[in-house]
């Protein structure tokens, strides 16, 4: 994987295409493709280039959290600012990987069609061409999924485009969403047959295997079963190709889609019988805080299904760290997200018996808090303390290092204090931060960005099963396994299907926070109108002169966001609409 990482961008300049011609014709530089696939090293470089298009949300400017109700990233150059204010259009699209994903798809197709020419590859490692062809096939399917989750139904390209293809031949209409899902899952099934069950060689970590492919399939089918795409008879009635009249998203509900999603998730679960990643304390008891914290720090741990090495986790940590730690002080968490975390007794803050106190200062130390902390932050679940840095909290640390409490109030060392680098919400994000990273001295632990992990699959399975077989004992079982690792009691018994649905959605919000799920979860559930627009709250960062100044701890609106129906999908870039006369723009754009 080190070799793949080093070479990942080596051939992009040779084998990438402009944003307007990936369907038009075979690029001139592809005439030498035969030479590439007669050499083992060049063939390996080409496969590495296909992997290199994978998104890396460890980079703050690529992380999708600030375009959900989870977070706010302060810098003016971040694309979330335009999305959140509704200031985007088909000619100006933040977070727009459309062209790059099609480049990756085209490259994968070339690899699949050409790799058998590499006789040297087979001589050195017999059977390698079959395996790597399956890797490229799985990657191609995954890129198509990334496209349809963001843009809705897309064009499925021919696997081979002749060199002499005309513009007319390559102007293609969009496939329906169901056609896209069928194509993706069929390709994943084909790939799985030729891949190892799991990568066991450390040099191969991060590459495709059966578990990864099956996890992708489970997520694809979960999305396909969800309300945005399954039985939505309100939003897409007129969403049809102009020339052939094909309806791009069906309005017919199919309960069997939930069944397929549940079965796909359970197949992954059955491949990982050791269960969730856990850490024990000195007495052999589960330590929920270190279990959840180190899940994202201990590379290739037992819960990881697919992760990729990332040097950008250092960048993420530096952006997240407060100014007092020589960080860039800008990855904020919304008050909505802070309020979502459970109390340590498993109740939500507005539930009877939760014990939640909104105001005042703590008069005693607790397991995770100290005297002088604002009562709002007392007795919360461990995942809260892993993820949220609040005023008077301490930066995560290990060993004998001690840090002074973080000053996020207005005149504090990490507050507004005349600087443009400050959190607008009064909180900073510490999930993904290693306690062993020494930010002041620029020393960081090596980490990986997780694409798929078992905790998500448990929740995928519970959600799909609840829709298909409400009351099934496995629903509560797998949600409770997540809660157990988080140090929370089991769910109440006797929940209705609707109540369980709400619990599962809330559990996803917390367990998978800041991992890139929320922005698409609220869309596929068709609740984004309620969660993504309107006022976003935080603490009053314009107030406070010391830790005891209660004026800081007042809920204020830091931003009023815009969300419209058309925002359920990103627009297709205008240049693609202009180039391909059969391309239909997304509704509302």
């Amino acid at each position: 994987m080190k070799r793949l990482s080093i070479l990942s961008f080596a051939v992009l300049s040779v084998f990438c295409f402009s944003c307007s011609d990936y369907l038009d014709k075979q690029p001139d530089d592809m005439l030498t493709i035969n030479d590439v696939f007669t050499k083992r090293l060049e063939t390996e470089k080409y496969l590495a280039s296909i992997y290199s298009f994978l998104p890396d949300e460890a980079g703050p400017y690529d992380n999708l959290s600030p375009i959900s109700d989870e977070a706010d990233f302060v810098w003016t150059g971040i694309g979330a600012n335009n999305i959140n204010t509704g200031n985007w259009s088909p000619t100006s699209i933040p977070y727009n990987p459309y062209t790059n994903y099609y480049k990756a798809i085209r490259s994968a197709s070339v690899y699949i069609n050409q790799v058998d020419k590499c006789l040297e590859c087979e001589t050195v490692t017999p059977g390698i061409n079959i395996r790597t062809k399956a890797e490229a096939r799985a990657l191609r399917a995954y890129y198509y999924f990334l496209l349809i989750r963001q843009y809705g139904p897309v064009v499925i390209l021919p696997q081979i485009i002749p060199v002499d293809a005309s513009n007319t031949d390559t102007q293609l209409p969009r496939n329906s969403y169901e056609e896209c899902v069928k194509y993706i899952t069929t390709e994943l099934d084909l790939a799985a047959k030729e891949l190892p069950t799991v990568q066991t060689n450390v040099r191969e970590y991060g590459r495709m295997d059966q578990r990864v492919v099956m996890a992708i399939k489970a997520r694809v089918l979960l999305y396909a079963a969800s309300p945005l795409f399954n039985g939505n008879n309100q939003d897409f009635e007129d969403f049809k190709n102009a020339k052939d009249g094909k309806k791009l998203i069906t309005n017919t509900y199919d309960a069997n889609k939930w069944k397929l999603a549940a079965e796909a998730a359970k197949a992954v679960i059955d491949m990982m019988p050791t269960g969730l990643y856990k850490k024990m304390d000195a007495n052999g008891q589960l330590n929920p805080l270190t279990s959840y914290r180190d899940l994202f720090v201990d590379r290739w741990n037992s819960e990881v299904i697919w992760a990729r090495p990332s040097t950008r986790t250092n960048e993420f940590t530096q952006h997240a760290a407060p100014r007092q730690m020589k960080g860039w002080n800008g990855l904020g968490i919304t008050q909505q997200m802070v309020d979502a975390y459970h109390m340590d007794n498993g109740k939500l803050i507005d539930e009877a018996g939760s014990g939640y106190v909104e105001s005042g200062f703590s008069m005693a130390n607790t397991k995770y808090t100290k005297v002088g902390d604002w009562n709002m932050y007392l007795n919360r679940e461990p995942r809260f303390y892993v993820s949220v840095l609040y005023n008077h909290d301490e930066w995560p640390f290990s060993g004998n290092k001690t840090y002074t409490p973080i000053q996020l109030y207005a005149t504090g060392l990490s507050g507004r204090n005349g600087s443009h680098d400050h959190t607008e919400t009064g909180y900073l994000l510490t999930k993904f931060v290693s306690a062993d990273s020494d930010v002041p001295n620029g020393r960081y632990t090596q980490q990986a960005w997780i694409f798929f992990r078992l905790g998500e699959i448990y929740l995928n399975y519970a959600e799909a099963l609840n829709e298909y077989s409400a009351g099934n004992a496995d629903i509560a079982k797998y949600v409770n396994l997540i809660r157990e690792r988080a140090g929370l009691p089991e769910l109440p018994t006797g929940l209705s299907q609707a109540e369980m649905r709400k619990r599962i959605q809330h559990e996803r919000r917390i367990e998978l926070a800041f991992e890139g799920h929320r922005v698409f979860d609220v869309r596929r559930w068709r609740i984004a109108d309620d969660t993504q627009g309107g006022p976003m709250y935080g603490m009053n960062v314009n107030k406070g002169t010391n830790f005891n100044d209660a004026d800081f701890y007042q809920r204020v609106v830091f931003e009023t966001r815009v969300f419209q129906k058309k925002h359920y999908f990103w627009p297709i870039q205008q240049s693609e609409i202009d180039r391909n006369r059969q391309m239909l723009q997304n509704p509302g754009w």
Side-chain angles (χ1 to χ4, degrees):
M1 285 317 305
K2 180 179 180 182
R3 179 172 59 190
L4 279 177
S5 298
I6 293 172
L7 298 176
S8 62
F9 292 96
V11 296
L12 289 185
S13 61
V14 179
F15 297 113
C16 289
F17 345 98
S18 76
C19 62
S20 62
D21 70 359
Y22 55 78
L23 275 175
D24 285 347
K25 62 180 181 178
Q26 186 98 344
D28 291 341
D29 54 32
M30 300 296 267
L31 297 175
T32 62
I33 202 70
N34 287 332
D35 295 332
V36 172
F37 287 99
T38 58
K39 299 177 178 63
R40 178 175 62 89
L41 180 59
E42 296 304 317
T43 301
E44 290 177 350
K45 288 180 181 179
Y46 198 98
L47 180 62
S49 77
I50 303 171
Y51 276 98
S52 73
F53 288 97
L54 290 169
D56 186 356
E57 289 191 43
Y61 285 88
D62 295 318
N63 190 284
L64 298 177
S65 297
I67 54 175
S68 75
D69 55 355
E70 292 177 326
D72 173 74
F73 294 173
V74 70
W75 304 283
T76 56
I78 203 162
N81 294 318
N82 291 331
I83 289 181
N84 292 336
T85 58
N87 187 27
W88 52 315
S89 71
T91 58
S92 178
I93 311 173
Y95 305 101
N96 184 32
Y98 185 90
T99 296
N100 276 345
Y101 288 161
Y102 269 113
K103 289 177 182 178
I105 287 166
R106 176 73 179 273
S107 293
S109 293
V110 170
Y111 190 91
I112 292 167
N113 292 320
Q114 298 290 333
V115 69
D116 286 335
K117 295 177 181 178
C118 186
L119 301 181
E120 182 188 355
C121 297
E122 283 294 310
T123 300
V124 174
T125 310
I128 191 65
N129 288 348
I130 292 176
R131 194 192 83 178
T132 57
K133 187 187 299 186
E135 288 185 49
R137 188 180 301 278
L139 284 166
R140 182 173 65 184
Y142 185 59
Y143 287 122
Y144 272 120
F145 166 67
L146 294 178
L147 282 168
I148 68 173
R149 76 169 184 172
Q150 190 164 346
Y151 303 95
V154 296
V155 175
I156 301 294
L157 300 184
Q159 296 197 27
I160 301 177
I161 300 177
V163 175
D164 59 352
S166 67
N167 285 345
T168 302
D169 293 332
T170 57
Q171 290 189 7
L172 303 172
R174 297 170 78 159
N175 290 83
S176 70
Y177 188 84
E178 289 192 335
E179 288 172 337
C180 293
V181 170
K182 183 177 180 180
Y183 174 83
I184 292 168
T185 55
T186 299
E187 289 290 286
L188 291 171
D189 287 341
L190 288 172
K193 295 177 181 178
E194 308 296 347
L195 291 170
T197 302
V198 61
Q199 299 288 359
T200 56
N201 184 341
V202 67
R203 291 174 59 85
E204 306 293 320
Y205 285 178
R207 296 178 68 154
M208 287 285 178
D209 57 35
Q210 283 185 17
R211 288 196 326 192
V212 173
V213 169
M214 293 170 68
I216 296 172
K217 181 179 177 180
R219 193 187 290 178
V220 171
L221 291 174
L222 181 74
Y223 276 53
S226 298
L228 185 64
F229 305 107
N230 188 10
N232 184 352
N233 57 12
Q234 299 177 35
D235 300 329
F236 304 121
E237 184 62 34
D238 299 322
F239 193 25
K240 303 174 183 178
N241 283 332
K243 187 172 181 178
D244 60 13
K246 179 184 292 181
K247 193 172 180 63
L248 296 182
I249 296 179
T250 180
N251 59 3
T252 303
Y253 178 75
D254 183 358
N256 193 58
K257 291 181 179 180
W258 289 112
K259 180 175 183 289
L260 294 174
E263 290 173 345
K266 188 59 163 60
V268 180
I269 292 169
D270 290 344
M271 296 180 72
M272 303 180 70
T274 56
L276 301 176
Y277 174 77
K278 296 178 182 178
K279 278 195 165 181
M280 304 299 166
D281 62 21
N283 298 318
Q285 301 298 311
L286 172 69
N287 187 324
L289 187 141
T290 58
S291 294
Y292 189 69
R293 182 195 68 193
D294 294 349
L295 164 62
F296 306 100
V297 175
D298 292 349
R299 297 206 308 166
W300 323 123
N301 64 71
S302 59
E303 185 168 331
V304 172
I305 298 173
W306 190 26
R308 296 282 292 172
S310 175
T311 58
R312 302 191 76 186
T313 52
N314 299 356
E315 180 186 351
F316 193 98
T317 298
Q318 188 168 24
H319 277 271
R323 196 179 303 119
Q324 285 168 261
M325 304 304 301
K326 297 185 179 180
W328 294 347
N329 210 48
L331 304 190
I333 298 176
T334 66
Q335 189 66 45
Q336 280 95 325
M337 190 66 221
V338 169
D339 292 344
Y341 286 95
H342 299 95
M343 302 298 289
D344 60 7
N345 60 12
K347 293 182 179 293
L348 301 177
I349 63 172
D350 57 356
E351 278 190 87
S354 70
Y356 175 75
V357 177
E358 173 78 7
S359 60
F361 295 97
S362 172
M363 302 299 292
N365 293 330
T366 71
K367 186 174 184 179
Y368 299 121
T369 61
K370 57 187 178 299
V371 172
D373 284 350
W374 191 245
N375 283 329
M376 181 186 291
Y377 313 130
L378 269 59
N379 303 315
R380 305 299 285 270
E381 60 162 294
R383 291 177 295 189
F384 172 85
Y385 299 106
V386 170
S387 304
V388 181
L389 186 78
Y390 52 86
N391 193 43
H392 199 244
D393 196 5
E394 293 184 354
W395 180 250
F397 66 93
S398 62
N400 296 319
K401 293 179 289 185
T402 58
Y403 300 140
T404 56
I406 302 302
Q407 302 173 9
L408 295 173
Y409 53 84
T411 62
L413 295 176
S414 298
R416 176 178 289 274
N417 203 25
S419 173
H420 64 279
D421 288 333
H422 66 89
T423 168
E424 294 279 5
T425 70
Y427 302 100
L428 289 170
L429 172 60
T430 51
K431 184 176 177 178
F432 315 119
V433 170
S434 170
D436 293 323
S437 288
D438 186 353
V439 180
N441 293 300
R443 292 192 289 267
Y444 302 93
T445 58
Q446 200 171 23
Q447 295 176 234
W449 182 260
I450 299 174
F451 288 96
F452 288 83
R453 62 183 178 91
L454 188 58
E456 179 209 339
I457 304 301
Y458 280 9
L459 293 170
N460 291 356
Y461 178 52
E463 179 182 346
L465 197 60
N466 186 57
E467 301 301 328
Y468 175 70
S469 180
N472 190 302
D474 268 4
I475 301 168
K477 172 184 175 181
Y478 284 96
V479 177
N480 284 333
L481 286 172
I482 293 287
R483 290 171 66 89
E484 176 194 27
R485 199 259 301 276
L488 297 177
E490 293 184 350
L491 292 172
T493 58
L495 296 175
S496 68
Q497 182 187 41
E499 289 170 334
M500 181 62 81
R501 180 186 301 122
K502 187 175 180 180
R503 293 279 187 163
I504 293 169
Q505 291 181 356
H506 194 87
E507 202 63 50
R508 284 184 72 91
R509 183 179 189 182
I510 298 169
E511 174 69 18
L512 305 179
F514 317 109
E515 296 178 46
H517 293 275
R518 178 72 175 172
V519 62
F520 298 110
D521 276 349
V522 296
R523 283 169 167 79
R524 67 181 178 85
W525 292 330
R526 292 185 71 236
I527 64 170
D529 309 62
D530 301 323
T531 64
Q532 305 309 290
M536 294 288 157
Y537 291 88
M539 295 286 93
N540 191 348
V541 297
N542 296 308
K543 299 289 185 177
T545 58
N546 56 65
F547 286 127
N548 298 320
D549 191 339
D551 287 344
F552 171 83
Y553 299 100
Q554 307 303 312
R555 296 167 184 264
V556 298
V557 176
F558 72 86
E559 183 175 57
T560 299
R561 295 183 178 176
V562 174
F563 189 91
Q564 303 171 8
K565 282 289 185 183
K566 66 180 182 180
H567 295 151
Y568 273 90
F569 293 138
W570 268 246
I572 304 296
Q573 57 199 42
Q574 189 60 44
S575 60
E576 178 62 15
I577 300 295
D578 295 339
R579 190 203 63 77
N580 182 357
R581 286 172 291 181
Q582 294 203 58
M583 175 62 71
L584 180 69
Q585 183 56 276
N586 277 330
W589 291 101

